[in-house]
Amino acid sequence: MERPEDARPARIKRFTVSDRIEHWIQVISFTALGVTGLVQRYDGAALSKKIIDWFGGIESLRVVHRAFATVLMIAVVYHFGMAGYRWYVQRRPRSMLPTKADAVALKGTLQYTFGRKPESPPQGRFTWEEKIEYWAFVWGTLVMVATGFLLWNPIGTTSIFPGEFVPVAKAAHSGEALLAVLSVIVWHMYHVHVRNWNTSMFTGYMSRELMEEEHPLSLAAIDRRDYVPPSKEEQRARAKRYLPIYGVVSLVMLAGIFWFVTFENTAIETIEPIEHPAIFAPVETLPPHQTTTSTTLAGTTTTVPGETTTTVVASAPTWDDPVVGFFETSCVMCHGPGGSAGLDLTSFDAAQAGGNGGPGFVPGDPTAGTIVPKMLGSHPGVLMPEQFAIFTDWLASGAPETADDAGAPVDPPSAATWDDPVGAFFADTCAMCHGPGGSAGLDLTSYGSALTGGNSGPGFVPGDPTAGMIVAKTESGAHPGLLTPEQFAVFTEWLGAGAPETADDVAAPGETTTTTTTPAAVIGSWDEDFETLLGQRCTACHGGESPMVGLSLESYEGLLAGGDNGPVVESGDPSASTLYLLMEAGQHASVVTGDDLEALRLWIEAGL
């Protein structure tokens, strides 16, 4: 029976307190997940770096991200229970399920939008737009939970599925997150706060006028009192049957969430840096006035002036010392005898034989085998940059197992140059966006323009496989076009070899140089060494008009002035210099390593 017109309320109850609490929990968790997730997707952006620093670093931010993911999953359990309660106990109409009427309303809305009809079609309690948004949220949550589990538990994932599942899950997780955020900003915000300012999720009520415009069919049903709830006695009887069943189901779902978040901690915990074995030994040579020749397998020759010349040469790495130690620390927990993917890294022969994907490594070829691509990808356990450099040098030298094997003749692959094959990698993969005047100011069609780089700094740094825009984008894994793992291995090896442009620039095999320098040149100076070094590594964030944390490294005066947190260098004391300590720890967004780090220490120690 329809109510008399004068008895119709001016406000219509649309959402209960429970509905509104659930909605705002979802809003808070969704917003937190969007912020903490997108800054990881776009980790190279200046704003992302500021947000990551505000959270106290990437590890802290990931903990926050996972905490709100847990809140979201618990909210889903509650929503599941309330939906069942409304349907079974209160016997409310299942108004969120799509029907044929929604298809008719969709067609009518399109006709109205394009001027084919004078008014939009009338709709019920939930419009077709709201139903699409709701089911998109349901689908998106399922995708995010499934892919999130694979990313949260990478070791468990790769013990069951091929390793490619992890980067695929990362792409799907990141893409769905971006789609969801854009959907809320564009679709939801327009329909709720732009087209009409709807406050029902704040107050629980909607005005009769807005109901007549947005949900006329629902308003008419309310006025006719179409929905008659069961009696209180019947609702109590139904609740006695429903609540125990839901209690058991919810406990199972909560146990599943607990299992989800405690399955493993690999994706949260940061592995502490390990002690690196000494791989350099001083070798005394003849006095400077005599001619000396020093040939090494890897590394550079450095001279220090004095009564005699001391040349630091790299002792040849072998499997026994130090390569196997790298794998014992990072890999054998999963890759022991009978381990994951059939790969056993506890012995030379087993590691070379490899696993399900083929041989682990190929002596003489630093780009072949299954280990190198995994180290360059998103594998749960990877070698430190210094370890990986030693590992690839060891491969290039023929992968000797013991010191007795070192120096055996090896046919190494021909030295890579920009002309062949590095330039071709970028021509095939990147030049479509990064040609002359291309995206981010980066042109990868020639050696000179690629070296110069773009808006964020140089494209690459000869001699340093860890620096430059190209390495950063490839290692982030989030760029649209990426080198394959095999290409990236060739690229980084090429950088380490000095990034020769042509075959004429490649040093002859066995060629070394002994250089006698003055103490000032050994120590280095700001003008000749560190202005360029820090400019390549640091000024993308610590430069310009608003440098991060107030620290500008574009000038010597800026270095000495420090930033918001105080001085970053202490003349004569590297152990009290924040700049050096961050570089030494290796966990800053951009770091100085190897010989450059040692030079920085000596420079600070010598008084800047």
Side-chain angles (χ1 to χ4, degrees):
M1 181 178 68
E2 191 168 351
R3 301 182 190 181
E5 189 166 336
D6 57 357
R8 295 174 181 175
R11 296 196 310 163
I12 308 300
K13 183 71 177 278
R14 184 156 174 81
F15 298 113
T16 66
V17 172
S18 173
D19 294 332
R20 284 143 54 202
I21 290 175
E22 181 184 345
H23 176 268
W24 288 109
I25 290 174
Q26 297 282 19
V27 168
I28 294 169
S29 60
F30 182 89
T31 303
L33 287 169
V35 171
T36 57
L38 290 179
V39 297
Q40 295 182 67
R41 175 184 173 100
Y42 300 106
D43 60 306
L47 178 60
S48 296
K49 293 177 180 177
K50 290 182 179 179
I51 294 174
I52 292 171
D53 287 342
W54 185 81
F55 274 94
I58 191 66
E59 289 83 7
S60 299
L61 180 132
R62 286 174 176 164
V63 170
V64 173
H65 187 77
R66 287 162 174 78
F68 279 102
T70 306
V71 172
L72 178 67
M73 289 187 286
I74 293 173
V76 167
V77 175
Y78 178 77
H79 177 77
F80 175 80
M82 289 306 300
Y85 187 87
R86 285 191 292 267
W87 169 68
Y88 182 77
V89 177
Q90 298 179 333
R91 308 302 289 170
R92 290 184 176 276
R94 287 169 283 184
S95 50
M96 189 56 83
L97 294 177
T99 65
K100 184 178 179 180
D102 295 312
V104 175
L106 169 59
K107 179 180 178 182
T109 301
L110 292 175
Q111 290 173 328
Y112 168 72
T113 302
F114 292 103
R116 301 290 297 277
K117 281 191 173 184
E119 57 185 21
S120 59
Q123 300 195 62
R125 175 169 172 77
F126 295 110
T127 65
W128 67 264
E129 296 96 331
E130 291 168 333
K131 291 183 181 182
I132 283 180
E133 187 171 6
Y134 173 82
W135 289 106
F137 183 81
V138 171
W139 163 252
T141 300
L142 292 175
V143 171
M144 298 304 280
V145 169
T147 56
F149 179 82
L150 300 183
L151 296 173
W152 200 325
N153 307 288
I155 291 180
T157 298
T158 54
S159 66
I160 301 172
F161 303 108
E164 289 77 9
F165 269 58
V166 175
V168 168
K170 178 181 178 182
H173 195 84
S174 176
E176 174 62 30
L178 180 61
L179 180 64
V181 170
L182 292 176
S183 173
V184 168
I185 294 174
V186 176
W187 183 275
H188 183 75
M189 297 297 287
Y190 169 76
H191 283 96
V192 177
H193 299 304
V194 177
R195 191 163 66 96
N196 283 305
W197 182 254
N198 186 343
T199 61
S200 59
M201 206 43 92
F202 295 92
T203 65
Y205 290 88
M206 182 178 284
S207 69
R208 175 170 286 273
E209 291 78 9
L210 191 55
M211 283 290 291
E212 287 175 347
E213 181 179 347
E214 297 280 349
H215 310 280
L217 299 181
S218 176
L219 179 61
I222 291 171
D223 288 339
R224 293 193 304 267
R225 299 181 180 179
D226 287 353
Y227 167 67
V228 179
S231 65
K232 291 184 178 180
E233 292 77 11
E234 184 180 352
Q235 288 193 44
R236 281 195 292 267
R238 287 178 171 275
K240 286 181 180 179
R241 292 192 293 269
Y242 175 77
L243 292 178
I245 295 173
Y246 170 65
V248 173
V249 173
S250 64
L251 286 175
V252 171
M253 296 175 73
L254 291 173
I257 294 174
F258 180 78
W259 174 76
F260 184 114
V261 302
T262 59
F263 189 77
E264 68 181 56
N265 293 320
T266 312
I268 301 178
E269 294 181 347
T270 300
I271 300 174
E272 292 296 327
I274 64 169
E275 292 291 331
H276 301 305
I279 59 170
F280 294 98
V283 178
E284 184 142 325
T285 62
L286 296 174
H289 66 275
Q290 297 186 22
T291 301
T292 66
T293 302
S294 175
T295 303
T296 64
L297 281 174
T300 59
T301 304
T302 306
T303 60
V304 178
E307 293 302 321
T308 62
T309 300
T310 301
T311 304
V312 179
V313 298
S315 60
T318 67
W319 172 266
D320 290 347
D321 182 19
V323 175
V324 67
F326 300 162
F327 296 122
E328 287 175 350
T329 303
S330 303
C331 309
V332 297
M333 179 176 67
C334 297
H335 296 294
S340 177
L343 179 61
D344 177 5
L345 296 178
T346 58
S347 71
F348 178 89
D349 292 336
Q352 184 176 8
N356 303 338
F361 60 84
V362 178
D365 189 348
T367 66
T370 59
I371 297 175
V372 169
K374 292 296 183 185
M375 296 297 106
L376 296 173
S378 55
H379 199 60
V382 295
L383 302 183
M384 300 288 286
E386 297 86 352
Q387 295 174 330
F388 184 68
I390 295 169
F391 176 62
T392 52
D393 286 344
W394 172 71
L395 291 176
S397 68
E401 182 177 2
T402 67
D404 294 337
D405 302 324
V410 178
D411 294 326
S414 58
T417 66
W418 174 269
D419 291 346
D420 181 23
V422 176
F425 297 164
F426 300 116
D428 295 339
T429 307
C430 312
M432 179 173 65
C433 297
H434 296 293
S439 177
L442 179 61
D443 177 5
L444 295 178
T445 58
S446 72
Y447 181 90
S449 60
L451 177 63
T452 301
N455 302 340
S456 301
F460 60 85
V461 179
D464 190 344
T466 66
M469 295 172 61
I470 299 172
V471 171
K473 289 296 183 184
T474 302
E475 290 181 338
S476 75
H479 199 62
L482 294 173
L483 303 182
T484 66
E486 294 77 13
Q487 291 173 332
F488 188 61
V490 173
F491 175 63
T492 52
E493 183 186 3
W494 172 72
L495 292 176
E501 182 176 2
T502 68
D504 294 337
D505 302 324
V506 178
E511 181 180 288
T512 59
T513 304
T514 300
T515 306
T516 302
T517 58
T518 64
V522 172
I523 294 172
S525 67
W526 170 264
D527 291 342
E528 295 184 5
D529 301 290
F530 298 104
E531 182 177 21
T532 301
L533 177 65
L534 299 181
Q536 292 169 344
R537 302 293 183 82
C538 309
T539 54
C541 296
H542 296 291
E545 296 180 359
S546 301
M548 188 176 293
V549 298
L551 174 62
S552 174
L553 296 178
E554 292 182 326
S555 67
Y556 183 73
E557 292 74 19
L559 171 72
L560 297 183
D564 298 341
N565 300 320
V568 295
V569 288
E570 180 68 32
S571 179
D573 189 356
S575 64
S577 300
T578 305
L579 177 67
Y580 175 75
L581 295 176
L582 283 174
M583 300 297 105
E584 184 183 38
Q587 296 182 358
H588 198 58
S590 180
V591 296
V592 174
T593 60
D595 292 341
D596 291 335
L597 179 63
E598 177 63 10
L600 178 64
R601 185 189 68 81
L602 291 172
W603 181 60
I604 295 174
E605 200 170 65
L608 303 172

